[in-house]
Amino acid sequence: MSKLNRILRLALGAYTVLLLAALSFICVNLYKAGNAVALPPFSRENISLELIRLVPLFVGYIVVLALAVLSGKNEGSAETSLGISPQNRLLLLKRGSGTLPEKAEREERLRRVLKWLLAAALALFSVPCLAYLLSGDNFSSWELEEVMSALVLRLSPWLTAAFVSAAAVAYICDASIKREIAVLKESNVEKVGAAAPDVPENSGRLRLSQAIILVIAVLFIALGVLNGGMNDVLIKAINICTECIGLG
Amino acid sequence: MKPGRRRLIQLYSALLYNAHLKGFISGDIFKGAGKAICVPGFNCYSCPGAVGSCPLGALQNALAASNSRTPTFVIGIILLYGLIFGRTVCGYFCPAGLVQELLHKIPTPKLKKSRITEILCAFKYVLLLVLVLAVPLWYGFQYLPVPAFCKYFCPVGTFEGAVGLLSNPANEGLFSMLGLLFTRKFVILLLITGLCIFAYRAFCRFFCPLGAIYGLFARVNVVGVKLNRSTCIDCGRCVSVCQMDIRHVGDHECIHCGQCIDSCPVNAISFKAGNITLRQNECEQTAESRGKEKKTAALAWSLALLVLAVVLVLSNI
């Protein structure tokens, strides 16, 4: 990628963020302005006025976009590889080797322990979330804004903790995998790569599962037609769902 | 299928789902019987052009009404689509996927897949559990329909439904209904649009509950990319060229787009419908198989165009 192309792509990236931020700002501002005077905040006129102000920004965006596209076209396209994950690389190395060296075994044990710890942590974090979700008292108020805000406030810390834990374990495991790959390579294992899982195909069981799901699906659809479920779908769909599209 | 052909199928699906072209002119939504059927992909039924129901919206509404009626119809339809196509729907039959891929073509710096993105993929299951299942069910027991995902998050509804309806002068009256909910959803739409520009199919990977549902059928879906394990030499090129967060071809993150097929050096990957191979590596194709493929494609396209013509006529008269 040439320097010019790189600069143009960076500029376009920044410009994209700027444009989207400007649009968000306009939307929020219109809402606040309308709310302050207890009038409907949005109308075709005031939205059009605000968008007209953004026209130079849009024009500039199109110019930068055109330049970036043209500059990229001149370079042609190269096949991009996004890289093989360390886990897949290790899986293949292990297939090529017989008994694992002791250092490799140690890394395997470390990852097993980490995965169990992560599973325990995720189970721990899921308890308050499930307790909250399964309690009907938290969903008894018809003040939906309060309920949804409370839902987000209660679940977010646990979800964030779960994500951070998973990310931390993933990074420690990746470091461990890289160490194991180095050990296996030192022991002259040649095959390197990524793999499909070692799950033997059981076409008989697969066919049975597919048949069962098919029967259940057809039965459910038939039941739904008979009990009026299909009619419910139709009635809902032929009326504008103002909630669904954010109109309140 | 080459990316060109897949793009054609995506465009065809988008047009088929939104064949009520009259709606874009009149500003009204389609009210025909076709809306009793859910389309496989993500398409808001409040879009002026929509001729079918959104499976996710229908599921939430059905769960919200489960006090009076067991939601077997919608669950049955989703089971059927999942069994036949699984996440092939995401790769071929979803307009939201098409829009994301087009947005990703904007030449900005891109966020590559990593362990972080792999972990973030779990978030769509959280959205599925909380907003699609739990909240609608709980309020359904209180006879208050709350399609929580549609109401508080869905960017497809905001774009196709809200923007689609509001851009028509006939819907001037709807402007008075815009408030905090719309503001919030519009900002979410812009955020997700930005994410999709920088990260390939960010909505599909991190937020789409429908993709989460279809991903559960990864082991059983009939149509999709299949790996011949006896031929596979585990070189990993399929995983390295894939832009989704797959661990292996055909797993729950695979959208069966087939971009890995030509990268396989031993032709172990093919696109199949059951035992019938629809597409394999170009190097494997003989003149005879190419001729057969062309004939099949011609027949399939003729049938598809006939269906599209019928739907266009029926939904616009």
Side-chain angles (χ1 to χ4, degrees):
Chain A
M1 202 187 285
S2 71
K3 200 173 175 186
L4 174 67
N5 188 235
R6 208 172 286 136
I7 291 170
L8 281 168
R9 287 171 80 105
L10 273 168
L12 191 61
Y15 213 139
T16 303
V17 172
L18 181 69
L19 193 59
L20 292 171
L23 285 167
S24 307
F25 184 72
I26 285 171
C27 187
V28 172
N29 252 16
L30 279 173
Y31 168 72
K32 278 183 176 172
N35 222 24
V37 294
L39 279 175
F42 299 98
S43 67
R44 195 177 295 282
E45 291 75 30
N46 63 11
I47 292 173
S48 307
L49 271 167
E50 293 291 339
L51 288 178
I52 283 168
R53 277 195 225 168
L54 283 186
V55 164
L57 207 63
F58 278 116
V59 170
Y61 188 80
I62 290 168
V63 168
V64 176
L65 174 63
L67 286 171
V69 167
L70 287 169
S71 145
K73 258 200 168 107
N74 292 337
E75 302 203 346
S77 59
E79 193 189 287
T80 49
S81 168
L82 294 160
I84 301 165
S85 68
Q87 302 101 299
N88 278 343
R89 197 186 296 272
L90 177 67
L91 195 61
L92 193 59
L93 268 174
K94 277 158 66 174
R95 280 189 185 172
S97 64
T99 336
L100 291 176
E102 212 210 293
K103 280 185 187 172
E105 287 277 6
R106 226 179 322 166
E107 297 293 345
E108 296 268 325
R109 268 197 303 273
L110 170 67
R111 288 199 304 279
R112 258 197 304 271
V113 166
L114 282 170
K115 279 177 187 164
W116 276 111
L117 282 173
L118 178 64
L122 291 178
L124 201 66
F125 296 143
S126 67
V127 166
C129 295
L130 285 171
Y132 191 86
L133 288 173
L134 293 173
S135 168
D137 293 337
N138 297 320
F139 302 99
S140 56
S141 165
W142 284 27
E143 297 295 324
L144 292 173
E145 289 296 323
E146 285 172 16
V147 169
M148 296 307 291
S149 305
L151 179 73
V152 169
L153 282 170
R154 284 295 291 265
L155 296 190
S156 306
W158 299 109
L159 291 175
T160 311
F163 172 76
V164 167
S165 311
V169 168
Y171 274 106
I172 298 171
C173 284
D174 277 354
S176 162
I177 286 170
K178 283 174 185 163
R179 285 195 296 270
E180 191 175 342
I181 287 170
V183 164
L184 289 174
K185 278 184 176 174
E186 271 172 34
S187 356
N188 293 323
V189 172
E190 286 179 10
K191 225 169 149 199
V192 180
D198 272 327
V199 177
E201 267 190 48
N202 188 336
S203 58
R205 202 182 285 180
L206 177 67
R207 296 270 180 267
L208 182 64
S209 318
Q210 288 172 334
I212 291 171
I213 295 172
L214 179 65
V215 166
I216 294 173
V218 169
L219 260 172
F220 271 27
I221 291 171
L223 268 170
V225 170
L226 289 170
N227 76 0
M230 183 168 152
N231 204 40
D232 288 346
V233 170
L234 176 66
I235 290 169
K236 220 34 191 162
I238 58 175
N239 295 296
I240 294 175
C241 178
T242 54
E243 283 183 305
C244 302
I245 58 180
L247 301 189
Chain B
M1 281 149 216
K2 294 177 187 176
R5 209 179 289 182
R6 186 169 76 90
R7 186 70 76 230
L8 280 176
I9 293 174
Q10 287 177 308
L11 285 165
Y12 170 84
S13 302
L15 183 56
L16 185 67
Y17 297 171
N18 297 289
H20 182 235
L21 303 175
K22 205 169 72 168
F24 292 109
I25 301 166
S26 64
D28 200 7
I29 63 171
F30 182 60
K31 295 180 194 295
K35 276 204 155 164
I37 309 293
C38 298
V39 296
F42 215 142
N43 197 72
C44 183
Y45 48 56
S46 290
C47 174
V51 296
S53 272
C54 173
L56 212 58
L59 178 64
Q60 289 168 84
N61 284 308
L63 288 172
S66 51
N67 222 359
S68 50
R69 213 189 305 283
T70 330
T72 54
F73 180 70
V74 179
I75 293 175
I77 285 197
I78 290 176
L79 278 175
L80 194 62
Y81 287 147
L83 171 67
I84 298 172
F85 298 113
R87 281 199 88 174
T88 307
V89 172
C90 305
Y92 284 85
F93 307 124
C94 184
L98 168 65
V99 169
Q100 287 173 81
E101 288 183 6
L102 294 175
L103 282 172
H104 193 67
K105 284 190 176 299
I106 296 174
T108 61
K110 302 297 178 192
L111 182 70
K112 286 188 179 177
K113 63 180 185 180
S114 64
R115 290 294 252 146
I116 297 288
T117 60
E118 222 177 279
I119 293 165
L120 277 174
C121 288
F123 186 65
K124 56 182 178 286
Y125 294 96
V126 174
L127 285 178
L128 173 65
L129 185 67
V130 176
L131 295 184
V132 178
L133 298 178
V135 175
L137 261 174
W138 274 123
Y139 279 102
F141 293 143
Q142 298 170 58
Y143 299 98
L144 178 68
V146 180
F149 181 81
C150 296
K151 182 170 179 169
Y152 293 106
F153 194 91
C154 183
V156 177
T158 313
F159 179 64
E160 287 188 331
V163 174
L165 287 169
L166 291 170
S167 55
N168 193 299
N171 295 317
E172 206 66 40
L174 293 177
F175 278 97
S176 59
M177 298 174 76
L178 299 181
L180 178 62
L181 191 64
F182 175 78
T183 307
R184 217 185 279 139
K185 283 193 78 182
F186 192 72
V187 171
I188 290 174
L189 168 65
L190 292 174
L191 272 169
I192 289 179
T193 304
L195 264 175
C196 291
I197 291 171
F198 293 102
Y200 181 73
R201 283 190 173 239
F203 180 72
C204 287
R205 286 155 77 191
F206 310 133
F207 302 110
C208 182
L210 192 57
I213 294 173
Y214 286 146
L216 299 172
F217 295 87
R219 284 182 183 254
V220 298
N221 65 288
V222 173
V223 178
V225 169
K226 306 289 176 193
L227 175 70
N228 184 341
R229 289 201 180 86
S230 55
T231 320
C232 175
I233 59 165
D234 304 322
C235 67
R237 289 198 68 193
C238 49
V239 175
S240 74
V241 301
C242 181
Q243 291 171 288
M244 299 295 286
D245 300 275
I246 64 169
R247 290 275 181 100
H248 60 87
V249 166
D251 70 5
H252 61 283
E253 293 298 330
C254 175
I255 59 169
H256 303 273
C257 61
Q259 288 176 11
C260 54
I261 293 176
D262 287 333
S263 71
C264 181
V266 294
N267 313 316
I269 308 173
S270 53
F271 192 96
K272 288 188 163 191
N275 291 329
I276 303 167
T277 303
L278 296 176
R279 190 212 160 189
Q280 55 190 357
N281 196 314
E282 283 186 346
C283 315
E284 279 284 283
Q285 287 183 326
T286 58
E288 193 194 332
S289 67
R290 269 196 207 101
K292 214 173 164 186
E293 194 191 302
K294 274 189 182 155
K295 273 189 197 160
T296 318
L299 184 64
W301 275 113
S302 307
L303 210 61
L305 287 171
L306 182 66
V307 167
L308 181 62
V310 167
V311 172
L312 276 168
V313 165
L314 287 177
S315 58
N316 288 289
I317 50 170

